[in-house]
Amino acid sequence: MIELPVRRLRDDAVLPAQAYTGDAGLDLAACDRHEVGPGERAVIPTGLAVEIPQGHGGFVLPRSGLAARDGITLLNAPGLIDAGYRGEVQVVFHNTDLEATFVVEPGMRIAQLVVLPVPALTLVEQEQLAGSERGDRGFGSSRV
């Protein structure tokens, strides 16, 4: 088991938690009230800082229930928390609904944090890259 050191930056910050035993994601909760109008975005603080272990990355992802029910997503999903970052975890919240304002209340679960191993890489510049079936075909190339 890997430990995830976490620090409350505010007394009212809610510690991240799994909704169910074995869940991959830890729910992140808002610290402040925000009204996010139709089509608007807001940066919502969690009041927490985390110490992502070396060799890992913290990925901030949308909550599927908020997406399905309310059209809420995260603009930079997944947001990346590097192992060296010690500042506050904030969520770039986006209301895709074109009619309804979404109200974020303190303590509301607004995103989830998944911590995954990331391999150390060595960049090797090449004149040519190895061929592949896909080649350089880009967006939409796998449509039949």
Side-chain angles (χ1 to χ4, degrees), residues 115-130:
V115 177
L116 297 171
V118 290
L121 300 174
T122 300
L123 189 65
V124 180
E125 187 174 7
Q126 302 286 323
E127 291 292 323
Q128 294 287 327
L129 300 177

Side-chain angles (χ1 to χ4, degrees), residues 63-112:
R63 294 193 66 236
S64 57
L66 287 178
R69 284 188 309 271
D70 302 296
I72 299 300
T73 191
L74 307 183
L75 282 180
N76 63 327
L80 173 62
I81 304 171
D82 289 308
Y85 178 67
R86 297 293 184 270
E88 183 172 16
V89 175
Q90 298 184 74
V91 176
V92 185
F93 210 71
H94 180 62
N95 180 0
T96 66
D97 193 296
L98 298 179
E99 297 176 8
T101 294
F102 187 86
V103 178
V104 175
E105 297 290 350
M108 177 184 283
R109 295 176 300 154
I110 56 170
Q112 52 189 333

Side-chain angles (χ1 to χ4, degrees), residues 12-66:
D12 59 345
V14 176
L15 290 176
Q18 296 169 312
Y20 299 98
T21 302
D23 281 357
L26 299 166
D27 288 329
L28 295 172
C31 263
D32 296 328
R33 185 177 193 280
H34 288 268
E35 290 188 16
V36 187
E40 291 182 350
R41 63 183 177 265
V43 178
I44 301 178
T46 65
L48 300 170
V50 294
E51 185 178 329
I52 302 295
Q54 287 297 320
H56 292 73
F59 299 90
V60 180
L61 303 165
R63 294 193 66 236
S64 57
L66 287 178

